[in-house]
Amino acid sequence: MAIRLFYLKAISWKFSLRNLPNHLNTSRASKIRQSVKVKPDPQQTLEPFLASSDRPEGTLSYHELQGYLFAIACAPEMIMPSEWLPPIFNDSEAGLADLAEAEAVMASIMSLYNDFNRMVLERNVKLPSDIKLKEPSSANIGPESAIGKWSRGFFFGHSWLEELWHETLPEELDNELGACLMTLSIFSERKLANAYYQELGAMEVEPFEDFVDKTAKLFESAMNSYAHIGRCIYEVVLERNSPRPVVHPEKVGRNSPCPCGSGKKYKHCCLQ
């Protein structure tokens, strides 16, 4: 049975960006991407912004945002920015100082999202270069490490999308998805990592540190598997819902051979 231990509570949000000018409404994010000059490194903008005391309590940190956006990019259905932006700030006003800050923050968030989306489309997903694993691997567990923050953000994002995954995931892929979830969330907190260790029965065959070390080596492979599952479901659903071209039957003339193959003229056969 697939492992589904969600210790992080996921809730549904309704959000209104009342504090932003109309042209910054996230439903028009494509126009923002075209008109705003994106800084080369979104981390320079987002890391201090998200960590500021001016942000609402519960705002995602920069590395949590990276994990969260990866989960969004892998969703089995396209999620609009107007839907996935609110949870970043815990359903509260972002506390933007002015229009310039709003544009810079929005552009940087969209740049991160587009990076993950591109990797998913290219089937070549990797951890961000600014996230490095410590030795031993068990030292990465918890919110103090970069990968720990990434895992928490990913786990939060998947939990937020759990209902969508439940509706679209074929039953035969449930175990594979569960294995991906375990690998990608194991560094989020010690309690969760211990639960995985015990539930899988690994404590009977190897020390906890060895179990975590093996899991860490599979991390990027699990990222690619998770992205592949989500993308495949997305493409299947998209094809299924795409309107099929209407084929109109060729018009048969009165004096033409009847389509039924009788050899008679159409007017003396099926037209009667």
Side-chain angles (χ1 to χ4, degrees), residues 230-257:
R231 187 63 193 177
C232 285
I233 296 174
Y234 171 81
E235 291 175 352
V236 168
V237 173
L238 184 65
E239 182 178 358
R240 183 187 303 156
N241 295 336
S242 297
R244 299 185 181 277
V246 178
V247 179
H248 297 283
E250 184 178 353
K251 187 175 181 179
V252 181
R254 289 174 55 83
N255 293 315
S256 300

Side-chain angles (χ1 to χ4, degrees), residues 2 5 20 25 40 43 57 65 67 72 97 110 113 118 139 182 194 200 202 206 230 246 250 255 257:
L5 300 175
L20 295 182
N25 187 287
Q43 185 174 7
E57 184 178 357
L65 176 64
I72 298 300
M110 293 307 302
Y113 170 75
R118 173 183 51 78
M182 185 208 74
N194 284 330
L200 290 177
E206 61 186 345
V246 178
E250 184 178 353
N255 293 315

Side-chain angles (χ1 to χ4, degrees), residues 29 37 48 59 107 111 113 115 133 146 163 183 189 205 264 271:
K37 185 177 180 180
T59 295
S111 177
Y113 170 75
D115 284 344
L133 287 173
E163 183 176 348
T183 302
E189 61 173 299
V205 296
K264 299 178 181 180
L271 182 60

Side-chain angles (χ1 to χ4, degrees), residues 8 15 23 51 63-64 110 121 132 156 164 184 196 214:
L8 304 179
F15 188 80
H23 73 282
H63 292 308
E64 287 174 338
M110 293 307 302
L121 291 172
K132 308 294 183 183
F156 173 70
L164 175 60
L184 299 179
Y196 289 149
K214 290 179 179 178

Side-chain angles (χ1 to χ4, degrees), residues 25-117:
N25 187 287
T26 53
S27 64
R28 303 174 64 183
S30 58
K31 292 186 177 180
I32 295 174
R33 292 196 296 273
Q34 295 171 5
S35 62
V36 178
K37 185 177 180 180
V38 180
K39 291 188 176 183
D41 184 7
Q43 185 174 7
Q44 294 179 3
T45 298
L46 294 175
E47 192 162 37
F49 175 80
L50 295 171
S52 171
S53 59
D54 293 332
R55 304 291 78 77
E57 184 178 357
T59 295
L60 299 182
S61 69
Y62 177 72
H63 292 308
E64 287 174 338
L65 176 64
Q66 289 175 307
Y68 172 75
L69 291 179
F70 170 71
I72 298 300
C74 296
E77 182 180 292
M78 180 175 289
I79 311 299
M80 298 302 294
S82 55
E83 297 179 76
W84 57 253
L85 277 166
I88 297 174
F89 302 102
N90 197 21
D91 192 26
S92 301
E93 302 292 347
L96 297 162
D98 50 34
L99 177 60
E101 183 174 64
E103 290 179 335
V105 168
M106 179 65 68
S108 296
I109 291 176
M110 293 307 302
S111 177
L112 277 183
Y113 170 75
N114 289 336
D115 284 344
F116 279 119
N117 207 36

